[in-house]
Amino acid sequence: MSIKIEHLNKTFGSFRALRDISLDIPDGKLTALLGPSGSGKTTLLRIIAGLENASDGRILFGERDISRLPVKERNVGFVFQHYALFRHMTVAQNIAFGPESLPKAQRPPKAEIRKTVTRLLEMIQLPELANRYPAQLSGGQKQRVALARALATRPDILLLDEPFGALDARVRKDLRRWLRGLHDEFHFTSVFVTHDQEEALELSDQVVVMSQGQVEQVDSPTRLYASPASRFVFDFLGHVNIISGSVTDGWLQQGNARVSLPGVSVSGDAQLYLRPHEVRLSVEPGDRACLPFTIEAINLIGAEVRVELKPDGWACDDIWEVGISHGEFSRWQPARGDRCFVTPDIGHLFRNGDNRPETVAWT
Amino acid sequence: MKYQSHHRVGDQPWLRRVLILTAVTLAALLLAIPLLLIFTQAFSAGWDALVSNIGDRYTLHAIGLTLFVALLTVPLNLVFGTALAWLVTRFRFPGRKLLITLIDVPFAVSPVVAGLLYLLLYGRNGWLGSWLADYDVQLMFSWPGIVMVTIFVTCPFVARELIPLMQQQGTEEEEAAVTLGASGWRLFRRVTLPNIKWALIYGVVLTNARAVGEFGAVSVVSGNIRGKTNTLPLHVELLYQDYNIAGAFAAASLLAAIAILTLAIKGVAEWRQAQLLAREPADRNPQ
């Protein structure tokens, strides 16, 4: 079932947690609400669930306005960050709680509930743990049980609040892959909240980036990464290298660093954003740019060699990071303290006071 | 050796022994011996005398009245305390902090003062009492007054036990139950109640102990009418003033027995609650 959010606002006292949010969440897709803490993503999720009331605005499930419906009539499944399993009930009792809570007329017979529980236990691959208590489970197992419990009521919509936030890195990766597989099999509409960009990009079909109670950008993971719409999204998604300077006659200049800007005719102060994989490293400056650096650190672990660079003869707030392949590294053999130059392939220019980037391509 | 002088405080054997001895002596002098003395005094004239003392008409009436007061007070405060704890831990509203502070007023006020306030308010010449007297309703110097002040004095116990526990447990389990479609009553009975069960029992036991043993507030509003408004603690004092030492101690031994039973139940309740808490998810650390 699709979700439509129209002009949603939420205030806590004088604090505006959500500002005029309008959003479409497509049917059968996994949507991520991504943002730093305090961006309002969890509040939005809780309002969709009905655990919190919006100050104004509407929410529609399909065609139906559910803004004023109580939680239990919305037919949503909710998975909490800290699992929120009923600690005095066994795993099986936890999963059976939802179906058993239905009003008498709709409640399935006991045998059928038992069957549902067995089926769900198999789905989460923990059938042998039916009679354990939550305290006897690991974090990953608990989160699977929480998911099975949420799915037991056959919800139209599944909402997950930082579902992997409390787990360690390896379990998190496994569970992420497992959830993706589960979703591809059953195609429930899911919305999950995360502050982990990697998780959002890997898991979801659509990412909603939020900041300070506002939606910054809604896009597929690929498009989001390729063309961030604002400074915030740029900074938040992956590392970005920034040079500030003034633009004159199609060149950006600061100290002894200069970059040509083909197709840019305006002038004034601006910042150029360059992704680590959209630049190349060389020993001599090219004709596109002269960006001198000294190598500060080299990190060999990973699929790429990560080189950290300190500007030489100009200044920037953050150190630059550039990735080169292991093959290139062994051919070139750079060392700490070596001087080198960066040549850009694609860049994104933000003029001062402007929040929309202008893409610059050199090829 | 120089290093041996670097003892932690209390590491020296002599200091440890002195401290332990002091604690044991004080506990014996102030707690164990007086308690023992109550029973030796009660039994001093033999078992038959004890039975006949307790079987005295007025003593039996005092026992009955005390149990009657407790029977009314405990369920009322159980419901009140649970509702109050639920209110202040599950909802945010203006004046919530003030309410939490007000819960402690009966603890802070001397019971005698509480009794006097009730007398002032509900007595025959009191503010509300004079109005009630017009309808021939007498609250003070009869059992309703005793029940009222007992409720006042004991009302914080249940709430005080529950509030910290319910704050610690948080609302997530209850929210989960709501999203799973549980009705309010089912939510309370199946999710909240099992989690607070032992703290609730502990609160009830404390309420009961205080309701049975309350002296100050009750003595102000009861009027000490033998066979009518005399509770067990008041009766003990009355017997003592009559120089009926054996009778006083017989009645006192009953109160002491209730106290010991209370402590035993309290011990069990605390132990069970600690076990429940130990079952708490171990990896509840914030991300």
Coordinates of all heavy atoms in Angstrom, one line a residue, chain B residues 11-45:
Chain B
D11 N 41.0 -1.8 54.8 CA 41.7 -3.1 54.5 C 42.4 -3.7 55.7 O 42.6 -4.9 55.8 CB 42.7 -2.8 53.4 CG 42.3 -3.4 52.1 OD1 41.2 -3.9 52.0 OD2 43.1 -3.4 51.2
Q12 N 42.6 -2.8 56.7 CA 43.3 -3.3 57.9 C 42.3 -4.2 58.7 O 41.2 -3.9 58.9 CB 43.8 -2.2 58.8 CG 44.8 -1.3 58.2 CD 44.2 -0.1 57.5 OE1 43.1 -0.2 56.9 NE2 44.9 1.0 57.5
P13 N 42.8 -5.4 59.1 CA 41.9 -6.4 59.7 C 41.3 -5.8 61.0 O 40.1 -6.0 61.2 CB 42.8 -7.6 60.1 CG 44.1 -7.3 59.3 CD 44.1 -5.9 58.9
W14 N 42.0 -5.1 61.8 CA 41.5 -4.6 63.0 C 40.3 -3.6 62.8 O 39.3 -3.6 63.4 CB 42.6 -3.9 63.9 CG 43.2 -2.7 63.3 CD1 44.3 -2.7 62.6 CD2 42.7 -1.4 63.4 NE1 44.6 -1.4 62.1 CE2 43.6 -0.6 62.7 CE3 41.6 -0.8 64.1 CZ2 43.4 0.8 62.5 CZ3 41.4 0.6 63.9 CH2 42.3 1.4 63.2
L15 N 40.5 -2.8 61.7 CA 39.5 -1.8 61.4 C 38.2 -2.5 61.0 O 37.1 -2.2 61.4 CB 40.0 -0.8 60.3 CG 39.0 0.3 59.9 CD1 38.6 1.1 61.1 CD2 39.5 1.1 58.8
R16 N 38.4 -3.5 60.1 CA 37.3 -4.3 59.6 C 36.5 -4.9 60.8 O 35.3 -4.8 60.9 CB 37.8 -5.3 58.7 CG 36.7 -5.8 57.7 CD 37.3 -6.5 56.5 NE 38.2 -7.6 57.0 CZ 39.3 -7.9 56.3 NH1 39.7 -7.3 55.3 NH2 40.1 -8.9 56.7
R17 N 37.3 -5.5 61.7 CA 36.6 -6.2 62.8 C 35.8 -5.2 63.7 O 34.7 -5.4 64.1 CB 37.6 -6.9 63.7 CG 37.8 -8.3 63.1 CD 38.9 -9.1 63.7 NE 39.7 -9.9 62.8 CZ 40.9 -10.2 62.9 NH1 41.7 -9.7 63.9 NH2 41.5 -10.9 62.0
V18 N 36.4 -4.0 64.0 CA 35.8 -3.0 64.8 C 34.5 -2.6 64.2 O 33.4 -2.5 64.8 CB 36.7 -1.8 65.0 CG1 35.9 -0.7 65.7 CG2 37.9 -2.2 66.0
L19 N 34.5 -2.3 62.9 CA 33.3 -1.8 62.2 C 32.2 -2.9 62.2 O 31.1 -2.6 62.5 CB 33.7 -1.5 60.7 CG 34.4 -0.2 60.5 CD1 34.8 0.0 59.1 CD2 33.6 1.0 61.0
I20 N 32.6 -4.1 61.9 CA 31.6 -5.2 61.9 C 31.0 -5.4 63.3 O 29.8 -5.4 63.4 CB 32.2 -6.5 61.4 CG1 32.6 -6.4 59.9 CG2 31.3 -7.7 61.6 CD1 33.4 -7.6 59.4
L21 N 31.9 -5.3 64.3 CA 31.4 -5.5 65.7 C 30.4 -4.4 66.0 O 29.4 -4.6 66.6 CB 32.6 -5.5 66.6 CG 32.3 -6.0 68.0 CD1 31.9 -7.5 68.0 CD2 33.4 -5.8 69.0
T22 N 30.8 -3.2 65.7 CA 29.9 -2.0 66.0 C 28.5 -2.2 65.3 O 27.5 -2.0 66.0 CB 30.5 -0.7 65.4 OG1 31.9 -0.7 65.8 CG2 29.9 0.5 66.0
A23 N 28.6 -2.6 64.0 CA 27.3 -2.7 63.3 C 26.4 -3.8 64.0 O 25.2 -3.6 64.2 CB 27.6 -3.1 61.9
V24 N 27.1 -5.0 64.3 CA 26.3 -6.1 64.8 C 25.8 -5.7 66.2 O 24.6 -5.9 66.5 CB 27.2 -7.3 65.0 CG1 26.5 -8.4 65.8 CG2 27.5 -7.9 63.6
T25 N 26.6 -5.0 67.0 CA 26.1 -4.6 68.4 C 24.9 -3.7 68.3 O 23.9 -3.8 69.0 CB 27.2 -3.9 69.1 OG1 28.4 -4.6 69.0 CG2 26.9 -3.8 70.6
L26 N 25.0 -2.6 67.4 CA 24.0 -1.7 67.2 C 22.7 -2.4 66.8 O 21.6 -2.1 67.3 CB 24.4 -0.6 66.3 CG 25.3 0.5 66.9 CD1 25.7 1.5 65.8 CD2 24.6 1.2 68.0
A27 N 22.9 -3.2 65.8 CA 21.7 -3.9 65.2 C 21.0 -4.8 66.3 O 19.8 -4.8 66.5 CB 22.1 -4.8 64.1
A28 N 21.8 -5.4 67.2 CA 21.3 -6.3 68.2 C 20.6 -5.4 69.3 O 19.4 -5.7 69.6 CB 22.4 -7.1 68.9
L29 N 21.2 -4.3 69.7 CA 20.7 -3.5 70.7 C 19.4 -2.8 70.3 O 18.4 -2.7 71.0 CB 21.7 -2.4 71.1 CG 22.8 -2.8 72.1 CD1 23.7 -1.7 72.3 CD2 22.1 -3.3 73.4
L30 N 19.4 -2.3 69.0 CA 18.3 -1.5 68.6 C 17.2 -2.2 67.9 O 16.0 -1.8 67.9 CB 18.8 -0.4 67.6 CG 19.8 0.6 68.3 CD1 20.3 1.6 67.2 CD2 19.1 1.4 69.4
L31 N 17.5 -3.4 67.3 CA 16.5 -4.1 66.5 C 16.2 -5.5 67.1 O 15.1 -5.8 67.4 CB 17.0 -4.3 65.1 CG 17.1 -3.0 64.2 CD1 17.8 -3.3 62.9 CD2 15.7 -2.5 64.0
A32 N 17.2 -6.3 67.2 CA 16.9 -7.7 67.5 C 16.4 -7.9 68.9 O 15.4 -8.6 69.1 CB 18.2 -8.6 67.3
I33 N 17.1 -7.3 69.9 CA 16.7 -7.5 71.3 C 15.3 -7.0 71.6 O 14.5 -7.7 72.2 CB 17.8 -6.9 72.3 CG1 19.1 -7.7 72.1 CG2 17.3 -7.0 73.7 CD1 20.3 -7.2 72.9
P34 N 15.0 -5.8 71.2 CA 13.6 -5.3 71.4 C 12.6 -6.2 70.8 O 11.5 -6.5 71.4 CB 13.6 -3.9 70.7 CG 15.0 -3.5 70.7 CD 15.8 -4.7 70.6
L35 N 12.9 -6.7 69.6 CA 11.9 -7.5 68.9 C 11.7 -8.8 69.7 O 10.6 -9.3 70.0 CB 12.4 -7.8 67.5 CG 11.4 -8.5 66.6 CD1 10.2 -7.5 66.3 CD2 12.0 -8.9 65.3
L36 N 12.9 -9.4 70.1 CA 12.9 -10.6 70.9 C 12.1 -10.4 72.2 O 11.3 -11.3 72.7 CB 14.3 -11.0 71.2 CG 14.6 -12.5 71.2 CD1 14.4 -13.0 69.8 CD2 16.0 -12.8 71.6
L37 N 12.3 -9.2 72.8 CA 11.7 -8.9 74.1 C 10.2 -8.9 74.0 O 9.5 -9.3 74.9 CB 12.2 -7.5 74.5 CG 12.5 -7.4 76.1 CD1 13.5 -8.4 76.5 CD2 12.9 -6.0 76.4
I38 N 9.7 -8.4 72.9 CA 8.2 -8.3 72.7 C 7.7 -9.8 72.9 O 6.7 -10.0 73.6 CB 7.9 -7.8 71.3 CG1 8.3 -6.3 71.2 CG2 6.4 -7.9 71.0 CD1 8.0 -5.7 69.8
F39 N 8.3 -10.7 72.2 CA 7.8 -12.1 72.2 C 8.0 -12.7 73.6 O 7.1 -13.4 74.1 CB 8.4 -12.9 71.1 CG 7.9 -12.5 69.7 CD1 8.6 -11.8 68.9 CD2 6.6 -12.9 69.3 CE1 8.2 -11.4 67.6 CE2 6.1 -12.5 68.1 CZ 6.9 -11.8 67.3
T40 N 9.2 -12.5 74.2 CA 9.4 -13.1 75.5 C 8.4 -12.5 76.5 O 7.8 -13.3 77.3 CB 10.8 -12.8 76.0 OG1 11.1 -11.5 75.9 CG2 11.8 -13.7 75.3
Q41 N 8.1 -11.2 76.4 CA 7.1 -10.6 77.3 C 5.7 -11.2 77.1 O 5.0 -11.5 78.0 CB 7.1 -9.1 77.1 CG 8.2 -8.3 77.7 CD 8.1 -8.2 79.3 OE1 7.0 -8.5 79.8 NE2 9.2 -8.0 79.9
A42 N 5.4 -11.3 75.8 CA 4.1 -11.8 75.4 C 3.9 -13.2 75.9 O 2.8 -13.6 76.4 CB 3.9 -11.8 73.9
F43 N 5.0 -14.0 75.9 CA 4.9 -15.4 76.3 C 5.2 -15.6 77.8 O 5.2 -16.7 78.3 CB 5.8 -16.3 75.5 CG 5.3 -16.6 74.1 CD1 5.7 -15.9 73.0 CD2 4.3 -17.6 73.9 CE1 5.2 -16.2 71.7 CE2 3.8 -17.8 72.7 CZ 4.3 -17.2 71.6
S44 N 5.5 -14.5 78.5 CA 6.1 -14.7 79.9 C 5.1 -15.3 80.8 O 5.5 -16.1 81.7 CB 6.4 -13.3 80.4 OG 5.3 -12.5 80.4
A45 N 3.8 -15.1 80.6 CA 2.8 -15.7 81.5 C 2.3 -17.0 80.9 O 1.3 -17.6 81.3 CB 1.6 -14.8 81.7

